[in-house]
Amino acid sequence: MNNHFQGFYFKQQSRDHAFALIAANGLDENGSAFASIQAVLPDGAFTIPFPPENARIDPRGPFLRFGENLLSADGLQVDLAAGDHSIRGALHFGPLSRPRGDIMGPFRFLPGMECRHHLVSMAHEVLGSFEIDGRRYDYDGARSYIEGDSGRSFPKRYLWTQCFPEAAEPRSVMLSVAEIPYLGLRFTGAIGFILLDGREKRLATYLGAKVLEFADGRAVLRQGGDTLEVQFDPAGTTTLEAPVDGRMSRAIGERLLGRARYHFSQNGRTVFDFTSENASFECE
């Protein structure tokens, strides 16, 4: 199939503000190409289209150039405007917390997957500042998270969340649960990552994880003696564009900063249990 998309999500969060940039390009089944950057703010989002020939994504860095805008593993340098909105500035990223190996595990070898998830960094430090809608925000000492997706379409039914807890540990939590179509069958797959005490804890379908609950902003994932529970209210989300058959024609809801609870236990012993007002999540 020629229709495809690829994109990366860069989230930055300081003590008093957060924003995310989603840069993507692709090609639909009719050969029409697109390229865009979506700016996601706590109170809304806006999209800046680009001529497809002026947009390049190298996933190996990643390194993305959209016109004169640069988004990479080293940082951000952007100057974007749409209507009454603008976002401009430069950020430098510290060392990334990359996962040990591809987070898709053996699934990365399966041909024809609808969507492949990429985790670039669970958490890294930020230096710099941004001007957003005319107001300057200092991001020195903030934290950032980078992930990506590629394939044909986002899953029809899925849940995703990521959070930098206010406490020192865990440093970052991410969970993605999706209904996955493959070869005429459908199954529920999950990938969970916890950055705790400088170490990576991974829960995944290919490691034996079972999805015990998955509905209405709640998910429970169990792998051996480990259990990760997430609960959030999906109401009040901001509308974003998402791919369907290589076109950004689907509206999905994301909350950049919202209330969520995360509970992780090992063999019945609670490792952490916290509620954050600064969690990011999607639920479709």
Side-chain angles (χ1 to χ4, degrees):
M1 290 186 179
N2 292 323
N3 53 316
H4 67 275
F5 79 94
Q6 58 179 341
F8 283 88
Y9 175 94
F10 295 77
K11 173 189 170 184
Q12 292 64 232
Q13 183 176 322
S14 68
R15 291 183 177 180
D16 61 355
H17 197 260
F19 74 93
L21 297 176
I22 306 170
N25 66 5
L27 186 74
D28 69 18
E29 57 190 2
N30 298 317
S32 298
F34 81 90
S36 66
I37 295 179
Q38 296 184 74
V40 189
L41 305 174
D43 58 353
F46 62 95
T47 301
I48 302 92
F50 285 84
E53 63 271 18
N54 290 345
R56 180 170 66 91
I57 296 179
D58 182 347
R60 292 172 294 180
F63 179 88
L64 298 79
R65 179 186 290 274
F66 282 56
E68 298 301 315
N69 300 279
L70 302 177
L71 304 89
S72 75
D74 296 324
L76 306 174
Q77 184 174 331
V78 302
D79 188 347
L80 304 167
D84 297 331
H85 296 289
S86 64
I87 181 167
R88 54 179 56 91
L91 298 181
H92 174 73
F93 295 156
L96 305 188
S97 297
R98 293 185 181 271
R100 298 192 307 270
D102 194 304
I103 67 166
M104 293 292 289
F107 288 171
R108 69 186 184 276
F109 299 117
L110 296 180
M113 290 283 287
E114 179 183 52
C115 185
R116 298 176 185 272
H117 203 57
H118 315 281
L119 178 56
V120 179
S121 178
M122 282 289 290
H124 48 275
E125 301 299 323
V126 177
L127 290 175
S129 63
F130 253 66
E131 183 183 285
I132 301 174
D133 292 341
R135 181 177 176 182
R136 183 182 180 277
Y137 294 92
D138 181 9
Y139 273 84
D140 284 352
R143 285 176 285 181
S144 180
Y145 168 89
I146 307 173
E147 67 171 32
D149 291 284
S150 63
R152 298 189 309 278
S153 305
F154 265 21
K156 182 177 181 180
R157 179 170 175 256
Y158 73 94
L159 174 152
W160 168 88
T161 184
Q162 189 276 328
C163 183
F164 299 121
E166 287 77 8
E169 295 293 345
R171 186 164 174 75
S172 181
V173 179
M174 185 277 283
L175 175 64
S176 179
V177 183
E179 187 177 277
I180 301 170
Y182 193 72
L183 298 179
L185 303 174
R186 304 189 76 89
F187 67 95
T188 300
I191 304 171
F193 270 77
I194 302 168
L195 189 60
L196 182 65
D197 296 327
R199 298 188 301 273
E200 167 196 311
K201 178 63 181 178
R202 181 183 307 205
L203 298 89
T205 300
Y206 55 82
L207 295 177
K210 305 294 183 183
V211 179
L212 304 184
E213 294 186 45
F214 171 34
D216 301 323
R218 176 171 171 79
V220 180
L221 188 63
R222 181 172 295 164
Q223 181 176 295
D226 297 339
T227 302
L228 176 62
E229 302 176 57
V230 175
Q231 176 74 58
F232 56 78
D233 182 357
T237 55
T238 294
T239 300
L240 300 180
E241 298 174 358
V244 177
D245 292 328
R247 292 176 294 168
M248 297 295 273
S249 58
R250 178 181 175 187
I252 62 170
E254 176 175 323
R255 191 79 177 266
L256 182 64
L257 297 178
R259 181 181 179 88
R261 180 189 176 195
Y262 301 83
H263 178 255
F264 179 62
S265 62
Q266 292 184 312
N267 298 317
R269 180 183 65 85
T270 294
V271 178
F272 61 76
D273 186 355
F274 68 90
T275 298
S276 174
E277 303 292 338
N278 296 313
S280 300
F281 45 80
E282 297 174 6
C283 187
E284 292 290 321

